[in-house]
Amino acid sequence: MDFTLSEEQLMIQQAARDFANNELLPGVIERDDAQKFPFELVRKMGELGFMGMMVNEKYNGSGLDTLSYVLAMEELSKIDASASVMVSVNNSLVCWGLQAFGTEAQKEKYLTRLSTGEVIGAFCLSEPEAGSDATSQKTTAIDHGDHYILNGTKNWITNGGSAEVFLVIAQTHAEKGHKGINVLIVEKGMEGFEVGPKENKLGIRGSDTHSLNFNDVKVPKENRIGEDGFGFTFAMKTLAGGRIGIAAQALGIAAGAYELALKYSKVRKTFGTEIANHQAIAFKLADMHTKIQAARNLVYQAACDKDAGKDYTLSGAMAKLYASEVAMETTIEAVQIHGGNGYVKDYHVERLMRDAKITQIYEGTSEIQKIVISRSVLKD
Ligand SMILES: Cc1cc2nc3c(=O)[nH]c(=O)nc-3n(C[C@H](O)[C@H](O)[C@H](O)COP(=O)(O)OP(=O)(O)OC[C@H]3O[C@@H](n4cnc5c(N)ncnc54)[C@H](O)[C@@H]3O)c2cc1C
């Protein structure tokens, strides 16, 4: 495969790199400490076109391909994975889903504002008893003619406290199982919709994760995306693309930690020489570099499959599984290379290590990716 980047893709990569270094880096430690969501930075990312990267220009998007999106995700994630998860959810799960399956009226009303970052979106599938087993939806959307009545609880919702547009998956026809599930557009402020307290997390602490409660929320039928019963398919299709974004996030976390470790190894001296001259450290760097490049190839491959209109379920799952493993391994080694300095906040690698872990959990755990991959290889 030839992954030579076009002029435009190189420009996007550079713009994301500049933004991450100039705007995300200052304050990233404080935001992590205080669990502070970066509203002002979201607005700026919207101005740069990062909030609706793959959305058609007709709906105020940037009209870019998936490869451009993963390039931006990698650069943002090198510095601030809390900001990049918010970008990933808005782009892959909310904007892409609305563009692919929404009605013209839904696109006009919601997508045009989501793609500029004027408002942020959230994707609400997980529940206390429906994480990996997403078919076990307990949230109900009961059909009342021209509207649905929504009841239930969603867990772990990224952008939960900051979003204004929520794509909520719920069971309408329990007897039909996953074929009776719908996806509804819920707006912040609808009567009966409450946002629960913010989760106090290990990593991506600057991102905004909440539970959500729906108590007899009246949602107009025109807010349903797709045909009756399309909700589970919608969720699986959007998540297949979302995994490419999270794979790119994992790649960025790994690459960010590696770059810091490489730099540090050239200045820190022990036993009269830079630690990079100790083979034990040099070999760690060699392993990190090799694995990151392998992860990058998988991520780019999945993005190119999506851009070429090919099935990207398998390549996306492989990219997420491997890149998230590499993120975890690389960040642990980056802390080790920094010695005691790696264990304190000022050197950034401890935060990257904490942030890496989530990439093995959300949008399908590593075990779930292996189920997807093994089903695919066993089918042949
Ligand atoms: C910070 C954060 C942000 C999130 N953001 C969102 C969001 O925006 N929207 C959303 O809908 N969800 C979100 N999630 C939820 C996330 O997708 C789920 O946590 C994840 O899918 C795992 O589900 P669970 O937590 O219920 O774990 P469980 O499903 O209970 O899994 C527990 C363990 O069992 C393993 N396991 C489960 N089933 C199998 C099996 N069949 N075979 C082998 N192993 C298995 C899992 O891999 C895991 O190791 C977020 C979660 C977190 C922590």
Side-chain angles (χ1 to χ4, degrees), residues 88-293:
S88 173
V89 167
N90 202 67
N91 274 279
S92 314
L93 300 183
V94 180
C95 286
W96 187 85
L98 269 169
Q99 171 155 283
F101 305 111
T103 62
E104 206 47 41
Q106 289 167 350
K107 290 179 198 177
E108 277 300 326
K109 187 169 177 190
Y110 299 107
L111 187 56
T112 49
R113 292 188 299 141
L114 286 160
S115 57
T116 59
E118 181 192 331
V119 296
I120 308 169
F123 177 85
C124 316
L125 175 67
S126 301
E127 299 186 356
E129 290 172 60
S132 302
D133 183 7
T135 53
S136 296
Q137 293 288 310
K138 300 282 187 295
T139 299
T140 54
I142 303 304
D143 193 334
H144 283 258
D146 64 348
H147 65 274
Y148 289 96
I149 294 292
L150 188 63
N151 275 292
T153 299
K154 293 290 171 182
N155 252 22
W156 312 115
I157 304 305
T158 301
N159 301 341
S162 330
E164 299 202 24
V165 178
F166 299 77
L167 306 188
V168 182
I169 319 294
Q171 186 79 55
T172 299
H173 313 283
E175 73 288 357
K176 292 188 186 167
H178 72 277
K179 292 190 175 151
I181 290 173
N182 277 310
V183 53
L184 306 178
I185 306 170
V186 175
E187 292 181 38
K188 184 180 185 172
M190 280 182 167
E191 206 179 328
F193 173 25
E194 288 165 9
V195 177
K198 192 178 204 160
E199 301 292 349
N200 187 358
K201 307 191 295 289
L202 171 74
I204 54 162
R205 288 170 57 80
S207 88
D208 195 21
T209 317
H210 292 256
S211 58
L212 308 175
N213 297 311
F214 304 97
N215 303 303
D216 289 332
V217 180
K218 188 175 171 183
V219 184
K221 209 162 233 179
E222 70 238 30
N223 282 24
R224 187 184 76 207
I225 301 177
E227 293 298 308
D228 188 22
F230 179 65
F232 192 71
T233 306
F234 174 88
M236 293 303 110
K237 283 188 185 284
T238 48
L239 279 172
R243 282 169 190 156
I244 302 175
I246 299 304
Q249 180 188 45
L251 169 64
I253 294 171
Y258 164 74
E259 286 172 15
L260 290 169
L262 182 67
K263 207 162 139 195
Y264 188 82
S265 73
K266 292 180 185 170
V267 293
R268 173 69 180 169
K269 287 186 178 165
T270 66
F271 301 94
T273 186
E274 289 79 14
I275 58 170
N277 293 326
H278 303 309
Q279 198 178 54
I281 300 295
F283 278 15
K284 280 188 199 300
L285 292 165
D287 283 341
M288 289 157 95
H289 184 68
T290 306
K291 288 177 183 177
I292 288 167
Q293 191 52 43

Side-chain angles (χ1 to χ4, degrees), residues 244-352:
I244 302 175
I246 299 304
Q249 180 188 45
L251 169 64
I253 294 171
Y258 164 74
E259 286 172 15
L260 290 169
L262 182 67
K263 207 162 139 195
Y264 188 82
S265 73
K266 292 180 185 170
V267 293
R268 173 69 180 169
K269 287 186 178 165
T270 66
F271 301 94
T273 186
E274 289 79 14
I275 58 170
N277 293 326
H278 303 309
Q279 198 178 54
I281 300 295
F283 278 15
K284 280 188 199 300
L285 292 165
D287 283 341
M288 289 157 95
H289 184 68
T290 306
K291 288 177 183 177
I292 288 167
Q293 191 52 43
R296 187 173 285 118
N297 286 349
L298 283 174
V299 174
Y300 285 14
Q301 176 70 63
C304 290
D305 283 352
K306 185 158 178 275
D307 288 333
K310 294 183 190 164
D311 187 350
Y312 49 89
T313 314
L314 174 62
S315 55
M318 291 197 300
K320 181 178 184 288
L321 174 67
Y322 187 70
S324 62
E325 272 176 15
V326 171
M328 208 59 244
E329 283 175 31
T330 305
T331 53
I332 288 173
E333 288 295 52
V335 170
Q336 191 68 17
I337 290 172
H338 279 76
N341 282 334
Y343 208 65
V344 297
K345 302 207 173 212
D346 298 358
Y347 286 79
H348 298 285
V349 284
E350 66 80 33
R351 187 186 70 259
L352 290 168

